[in-house]
C-alpha cells in the first residue's frame, strides 16, 4: 500500500486513473440504479457488447475508437429501445442477436486490421492506468451530461420505471423517456469501457447499485450509496492491483463481487435478527 | 337529463386473432358506482384501456367527460392491480402517492409543498398516513391497494377507474376496500372491474356483465331474482344474459 501511495503522489497516470474511477462511479451509480430497479441488466449487456462493433469499425477506419463506441452504443440503445417498446419480436432474442452481431462485427474488423492490436484489447478488458488527460476530459463532460439529464428528468425516469402505463395516462412521453434512459446507459457504458472494458462493464454498472439497493429505501439514496460503493471499489481495486501488477479492471470487478456477497450476508443476518426480535 | 361522464357506443375491439369486445355500449353517470364483472379474458381490462385512451376501438365511439379518452383521462384517477409492481422497487409510500401527479412537464426531482400537502391529505383519507415513510414493497396487499387509491386521488379526479381492486386479498381486506370506495363514491364516480361478484354486489349501484359482449343490470335485480345466477358463478351470468 505504501508503494501505491508513493506512486500516487509521483505519477500522473495513477492520479488520472483514480479520477477516472471517481467519474465512472458517478455515472454508473446513477444510471446503474435505473438498470437495477427497472431490471434491464440484460439490455445493458446488449448495448455494452454491441459497442465492440463500433470500436472495431473506428479502428479499421483509423478514427478515434471512442467515437465508434459512442456511435454504436447510442445506435444500439435506440434500436433496443424501439424493439422493446414497439416490435412484436421477443425482445430478449433481438437483444441477444444484437449482442452477438456487435461482437462478431468487432472481431471481423480486428481481423481485417493488420497486426496485433493491443490498444483494442484495452477496450475489451479495460485498463484504467492508460487513461489519458484527453480521455479524462471526455469522461468529465460525459459524466456531467449524465448528471444534468438525470437531474432534469429524475421524476419522469422514476415513474416510467415504476409504472409505464400510469405514466402514459398522465401524459408522460414514455417512449421518449425510456429511449433517453437507454441512451444515458449507453453513455455510461462508453465512460466505463476504459475502466473495466466492455466485457466486464455490466458488472460495474449493476453491482454497486445492487449493493446499495440492499440498504436503501429510495432511488436517490440508492444512487448516492451506489456512487460511494463505486468509488471505494475502483480506488481500492486499483490500489490492490498496482503492486502485484494484476489486471486492474478484473481486480475491481472481483472486489465488487466480494463486496456484494458480504452485503447479501449482512442483509440476511439483519433480516434474521429482525425476525427473531418479533 | 344528466350527461354521462363516460359513454361507449357500439364498441368493437379485436386483437390480431380474436375479438376482445363486441358491440359494447355503456353510459356511466356522475356518482355512479358501477362494477364490470366477467371471467378472465372476457375483455374487462381491454374496456378500461379503451376508456383510458391507451388503445383505440376497432369500431364505435367513446367519450370521457364529453371529449376523447386521450383528453378526458385527465379527469380519471386510475388504480391498476397492485400485483403488477416489482416487489423490490425502492419507493416509499409517500413517493408512490406523489408520483400520481406526474406530468409531461414534471422536471427536476423536487415536489412542490402543495403536492406534499395533497399527498398527506389523501394518505390520511385512505388511512395510510402512518405508513408514509415505509417502503411500498413491504406493504400488505390491502395497504398497497390503499396507496394506489391515494395516488389516483392526488389529482382530484371526478372518476376513479379500478382494475381488480380486490384481487389476491382476503375477504376482510376486500370488504375494507369496498367500504373505502363507497365513501369515495359520495364525491366521485367509480367504475371497477372484477372477475368475482362476491362482496361487490353489496356496494355498487349497477353491474355490467362482460364476456366479450355485455349486458347491464341495476343492482336491485341482482339482489332479487337474479341473485342465484350471479353469486360466484360466471357461466350462469353468461347464460342468463344470453350473450
Amino acid at each position: 500500500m505504501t508503494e501505491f501511495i508513493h506512486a500516487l503522489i509521483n505519477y500522473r497516470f495513477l492520479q488520472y486513473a483514480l479520477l477516472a474511477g471517481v467519474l465512472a462511479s458517478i455515472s454508473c451509480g446513477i444510471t446503474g440504479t435505473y438498470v437495477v430497479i427497472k431490471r434491464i441488466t440484460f439490455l445493458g449487456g446488449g448495448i455494452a457488447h454491441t459497442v465492440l462493433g463500433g470500436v472495431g469499425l473506428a479502428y479499421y477506419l483509423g478514427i478515434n475508437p471512442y467515437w465508434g463506441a459512442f456511435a454504436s452504443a447510442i445506435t444500439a440503445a435506440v434500436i433496443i429501445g424501439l424493439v422493446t417498446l414497439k416490435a412484436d419480436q421477443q425482445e430478449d432474442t433481438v437483444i441477444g442477436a444484437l449482442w452477438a452481431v456487435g461482437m462478431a462485427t468487432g472481431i471481423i474488423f480486428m481481423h481485417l486490421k493488420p497486426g496485433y492490436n493491443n490498444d483494442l484489447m484495452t477496450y475489451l478488458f479495460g485498463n484504467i492506468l492508460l487513461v489519458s488527460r484527453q480521455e479524462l476530459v471526455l469522461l468529465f463532460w460525459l459524466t456531467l451530461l449524465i448528471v444534468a439529464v438525470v437531474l432534469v428528468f429524475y421524476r419522469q425516469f422514476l415513474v416510467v420505471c415504476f409504472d409505464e402505463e400510469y405514466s402514459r395516462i398522465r401524459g408522460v412521453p414514455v417512449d421518449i423517456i425510456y429511449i433517453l434512459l437507454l441512451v444515458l446507459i449507453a453513455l455510461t457504458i462508453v465512460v466505463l469501457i476504459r475502466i473495466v472494458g466492455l466485457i466486464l462493464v455490466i458488472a460495474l454498472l449493476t453491482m454497486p447499485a445492487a449493493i446499495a439497493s440492499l440498504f436503501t429505501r429510495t432511488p436517490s439514496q440508492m444512487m448516492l450509496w451506489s456512487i460511494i460503493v463505486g468509488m471505494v471499489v475502483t480506488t481500492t481495486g486499483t490500489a490492490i492491483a498496482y503492486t502485484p501488477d494484476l489486471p486492474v479492471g478484473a481486480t475491481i470487478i472481483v472486489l465488487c463481487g466480494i463486496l456484494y456477497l458480504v452485503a447479501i450476508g449482512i442483509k440476511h443476518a439483519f433480516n434474521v435478527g429482525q425476525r427473531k426480535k418479533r | 337529463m344528466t350527461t354521462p361522464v363516460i359513454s361507449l357506443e357500439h364498441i368493437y375491439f379485436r386483437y390480431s386473432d380474436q375479438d376482445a369486445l363486441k358491440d359494447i355500449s355503456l353510459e356511466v353517470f356522475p356518482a355512479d358506482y358501477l362494477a364490470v364483472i366477467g371471467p378472465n379474458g372476457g375483455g374487462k381490462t381491454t374496456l378500461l384501456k379503451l376508456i383510458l385512451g391507451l388503445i383505440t376501438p376497432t369500431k364505435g365511439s367513446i367519450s370521457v367527460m364529453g371529449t376523447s379518452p386521450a383528453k378526458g383521462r385527465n379527469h380519471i384517477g386510475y388504480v391498476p392491480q397492485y400485483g403488477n409492481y416489482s416487489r423490490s422497487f425502492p419507493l416509499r409510500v409517500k413517493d408512490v402517492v406523489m408520483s400520481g401527479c406526474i406530468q409531461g412537464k414534471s422536471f427536476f426531482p423536487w415536489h412542490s409543498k402543495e403536492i406534499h400537502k395533497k399527498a398527506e391529505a389523501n394518505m390520511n383519507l385512505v388511512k395510510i398516513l402512518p405508513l408514509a415513510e415505509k417502503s411500498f414493497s413491504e406493504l400488505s396487499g390491502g395497504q398497497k391497494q390503499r396507496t394506489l387509491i391515494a395516488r389516483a386521488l392526488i389529482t382530484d379526479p371526478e372518476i376513479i377507474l379500478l382494475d381488480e381492486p380486490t384481487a389476491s386479498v382476503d375477504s376482510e381486506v376486500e370488504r375494507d376496500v369496498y367500504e373505502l370506495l363507497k365513501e369515495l363514491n359520495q364525491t366521485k364516480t367509480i367504475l371497477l372491474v372484477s372477475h368475482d361478484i362476491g362482496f361487490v354486489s353489496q356496494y355498487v349501484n349497477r353491474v355490467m356483465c362482460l364476456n366479450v359482449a355485455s349486458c347491464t343490470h341495476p343492482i336491485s335485480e341482482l339482489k332479487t331474482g337474479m341473485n342465484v345466477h350471479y353469486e360466484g358463478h360466471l357461466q350462469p351470468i353468461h347464460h342468463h344474459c344470453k350473450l
Side-chain angles (χ1 to χ4, degrees):
Chain A
M1 187 53 79
T2 320
E3 192 186 340
F4 174 75
I5 292 169
H6 185 258
L8 182 62
I9 295 163
N10 291 300
Y11 299 127
R12 185 147 288 181
F13 76 92
L14 214 48
Q15 293 162 4
Y16 285 171
L18 289 196
L19 269 175
V22 167
L23 291 171
S25 303
I26 294 170
S27 318
C28 75
I30 292 171
T31 54
T33 294
Y34 290 118
V35 171
V36 169
I37 63 178
K38 182 76 177 151
R39 298 181 174 199
I40 48 174
T41 305
F42 182 61
L43 205 147
I47 296 173
H49 287 77
T50 310
V51 164
L52 188 63
V55 171
L57 178 64
Y59 252 101
Y60 182 71
L61 297 174
I63 306 167
N64 183 344
Y66 253 114
W67 291 116
F70 188 75
S72 55
I74 289 183
T75 308
V78 173
I79 291 172
I80 288 174
L82 290 174
V83 166
T84 311
L85 291 164
K86 306 279 181 200
D88 292 334
Q89 284 89 354
Q90 276 193 298
E91 61 183 81
D92 56 343
T93 312
V94 176
I95 294 166
L98 260 178
W99 181 313
V101 171
M103 291 210 79
T105 314
I107 291 165
I108 289 171
F109 283 120
M110 279 165 70
H111 178 77
L112 291 175
K113 186 86 177 171
Y116 179 72
N117 213 322
N118 187 42
D119 203 20
L120 190 59
M121 286 299 149
T122 67
Y123 284 88
L124 270 178
F125 301 106
N127 194 344
I128 200 169
L129 301 176
L130 295 182
V131 173
S132 65
R133 186 186 167 82
Q134 195 188 357
E135 282 171 333
L136 200 61
V137 171
L138 181 66
L139 290 185
F140 172 78
W141 286 114
L142 281 176
T143 305
L144 197 66
L145 179 68
I146 290 166
V147 172
V149 173
V150 169
L151 197 63
V152 174
F153 292 97
Y154 177 84
R155 271 195 284 161
Q156 304 211 18
F157 284 142
L158 197 60
V159 177
V160 168
C161 288
F162 182 62
D163 190 341
E164 266 183 42
E165 191 177 61
Y166 191 88
S167 309
R168 219 177 275 280
I169 293 165
R170 292 291 307 150
V172 175
V174 172
D175 296 357
I176 294 171
I177 293 292
Y178 185 63
I179 289 175
L180 183 60
L181 180 61
L182 295 189
V183 167
L184 286 189
I185 293 167
L187 289 181
T188 308
I189 286 165
V190 175
V191 171
L192 293 179
I193 283 174
R194 206 44 160 161
I195 315 299
V196 289
L198 59 92
I199 305 277
L200 302 177
V201 77
I202 202 65
L204 197 56
L205 189 63
T206 54
M207 273 200 279
I211 292 167
S213 74
L214 296 170
F215 305 102
T216 53
R217 281 194 301 166
T218 67
S220 52
Q221 287 172 1
M222 197 170 149
M223 282 177 187
L224 183 66
W225 282 102
S226 178
I227 291 170
I228 293 168
V229 170
M231 286 179 182
V232 168
V233 292
T234 50
T235 309
T236 316
T238 308
I240 291 171
Y242 184 74
T243 308
D245 197 21
L246 295 172
V248 184
T251 309
I252 289 170
I253 297 302
V254 169
L255 185 65
C256 207
I258 293 168
L259 207 60
Y260 187 36
L261 283 177
V262 171
I264 289 172
I266 292 170
K267 177 74 177 177
H268 180 72
F270 178 76
N271 286 346
V272 170
Q274 289 289 100
R275 260 182 252 135
K276 277 184 184 169
K277 266 188 190 175
R278 282 182 213 146
Chain B
M1 191 181 162
T2 320
T3 316
V5 287
I6 298 172
S7 171
L8 285 83
E9 286 178 37
H10 306 290
I11 292 297
Y12 288 77
F13 188 82
R14 191 176 167 78
Y15 288 110
S16 56
D17 55 345
Q18 68 179 70
D19 287 317
L21 294 172
K22 265 187 188 172
D23 196 20
I24 303 294
S25 292
L26 172 71
E27 286 188 325
V28 183
F29 295 96
D32 243 348
Y33 188 174
L34 173 75
V36 178
I37 309 288
N40 290 331
K44 304 186 298 295
T45 302
T46 302
L47 184 79
L48 288 189
K49 285 185 176 175
L50 284 164
I51 294 170
L52 289 165
L54 293 172
I55 50 176
T56 46
T58 316
K59 214 161 84 176
S61 67
I62 306 173
S63 78
V64 177
M65 301 298 287
T67 182
S68 69
K71 288 180 185 165
R73 67 187 175 200
N74 289 331
H75 300 271
I76 297 177
Y78 176 55
V79 183
Q81 293 186 40
Y82 73 82
N84 295 347
Y85 297 96
S86 159
R87 274 192 258 168
S88 57
F89 204 98
L91 272 185
R92 291 169 301 186
V93 170
K94 68 175 182 186
D95 298 325
V96 174
V97 175
M98 285 193 287
S99 76
C101 56
I102 190 82
Q103 288 175 332
K105 290 174 185 168
S106 300
F107 301 121
F108 299 104
W110 312 281
H111 291 283
S112 67
K113 275 185 184 170
E114 190 196 346
I115 290 171
H116 277 277
K117 276 185 187 169
K118 274 187 182 176
E120 207 166 288
N122 285 307
M123 285 189 286
N124 197 29
L125 182 71
V126 302
K127 301 180 181 72
I128 52 162
L129 190 55
L131 306 173
E133 295 293 330
K134 274 200 125 185
S135 177
F136 178 72
S137 56
E138 290 169 9
L139 302 184
S140 68
Q143 290 167 337
K144 280 184 180 167
Q145 203 62 64
R146 282 172 181 272
T147 305
L148 295 177
I149 292 172
R151 179 181 71 165
L153 290 172
I154 200 164
T155 54
D156 196 21
E158 284 94 338
I159 308 163
I160 303 176
L161 246 59
L162 301 100
D163 189 0
E164 302 274 7
T166 56
S168 318
V169 295
D170 61 41
S171 55
E172 199 178 327
V173 176
E174 191 176 358
R175 201 178 280 276
D176 276 357
V177 170
Y178 287 129
E179 289 285 354
L180 171 64
L181 294 175
K182 189 79 190 167
E183 265 178 62
L184 295 174
N185 184 226
Q186 288 169 13
T187 52
K188 316 270 179 205
T189 305
I190 295 179
L191 190 159
L192 63 90
V193 305
S194 175
H195 66 277
D196 182 9
I197 197 152
F199 289 129
V200 76
S201 60
Q202 296 169 30
Y203 295 94
V204 298
N205 309 120
R206 286 193 297 152
V207 167
M208 176 189 190
C209 304
L210 183 66
N211 189 3
V212 182
S214 74
C215 60
T216 311
H217 297 281
I219 198 65
S220 54
E221 285 182 18
L222 275 180
K223 285 176 177 169
T224 55
M226 292 167 74
N227 200 25
V228 177
H229 296 288
Y230 280 85
E231 207 161 38
H233 302 287
L234 291 164
Q235 275 315 109
I237 295 177
H238 188 87
H239 171 73
H240 191 90
C241 296
K242 293 178 185 148
L243 296 179

